[in-house]
Amino acid sequence: MYTIGFEWEWDEETDTARGSDFAVYEAFEAAADTAWWFRLWTGNREVDGSEFRFFGTTGSGDYAGFWLVRPGSPITDQPVVYLGSEGQRSVVARDLGDLLWLFAAGYGPAEAVEDRGSIQEPNDAFRALAERHAPGKSRPVEQIVSAARAEFPRFSDYIDAQCR
C-alpha cells in the first residue's frame, strides 16, 4: 500500500494557493454514498452514479474517479473523470497510468482541468510510482488531458443528459 498524497497550502498574504487540494481515499467511495452525491449533484433522483468509482475529493467537494465506460476492461484501464462542486466536468486521464503521470507533475484533477497553465511542483513520490507502474507514459500534462478529452469528447453531453 502506498501512503503518498499532495501538499496544499493557502497564502493569505498573496491570496494564492500552492500545491494540489486533493485527497485520495483509502478505498473507493461506497455505492450508497456515490448514489446520494450523484443524485444531489445532477438534481436527478433516477440516477445512481454506478458508472463511476470515486477515489478522491478536494476540500470544496470536487470528485474524481474512474468512469466505467470500457466494457470488460479492468478498472485501471478506465478513464478518469473530474466532477467539480460548481458543475465543472471533464475527462482528465485515459487510464490510471496517465493519472499517475499527472500526479507526478504535481497536478490533481482540479488543477488539470482549471489550472493547466499554472506551475506545480513535481511530486517525487508519485513520479516513482508512475515510473514503476506506467513506464514510458510520461508526457506533459496538456497532452495527457488533451488525449483523454479527444478520446471521450461527449463526456460533458453524457453528464448533461443526466442533469435536471
Side-chain angles (χ1 to χ4, degrees):
M1 179 171 124
Y2 295 96
T3 55
I4 57 178
F6 293 97
E7 292 184 25
W8 184 83
E9 62 185 45
W10 182 260
D11 185 335
E12 291 190 30
E13 288 182 27
T14 62
D15 200 29
T16 59
R18 185 188 71 73
S20 175
D21 177 23
F22 185 69
V24 179
Y25 300 148
E26 289 187 23
F28 290 118
E29 182 177 70
D33 293 337
T34 294
W36 174 84
W37 180 84
F38 198 64
R39 287 174 180 144
L40 182 68
W41 193 80
T42 61
N44 183 348
R45 301 179 124 215
E46 298 175 15
V47 297
D48 63 6
S50 60
E51 64 272 39
F52 301 106
R53 295 296 179 275
F54 294 117
F55 58 77
T57 189
T58 66
S60 62
D62 306 341
Y63 275 61
F66 292 103
W67 179 29
L68 308 180
V69 70
R70 292 181 175 137
S73 293
I75 199 160
T76 56
D77 291 341
Q78 302 290 342
V80 177
V81 299
Y82 164 79
L83 300 175
S85 62
E86 301 298 320
Q88 315 91 310
R89 75 289 296 266
S90 182
V91 181
V92 297
R94 294 182 65 244
D95 56 26
L96 177 61
D98 281 353
L99 180 69
L100 291 175
W101 283 107
L102 191 84
F103 286 175
Y107 286 77
E111 292 80 19
V113 170
E114 299 173 0
D115 286 333
R116 272 181 294 181
S118 68
I119 298 173
Q120 299 292 334
E121 290 184 34
N123 186 309
D124 292 337
F126 274 120
R127 181 172 185 80
L129 194 59
E131 287 174 346
R132 180 174 179 191
H133 295 286
K137 290 188 77 174
S138 175
R139 296 188 316 281
V141 170
E142 181 64 39
Q143 288 180 14
I144 292 171
V145 176
S146 293
R149 287 180 174 174
E151 185 172 350
F152 300 98
R154 301 232 179 264
F155 177 68
S156 189
D157 296 337
Y158 172 78
I159 294 296
D160 284 344
Q162 296 185 60
C163 292
R164 300 292 177 255

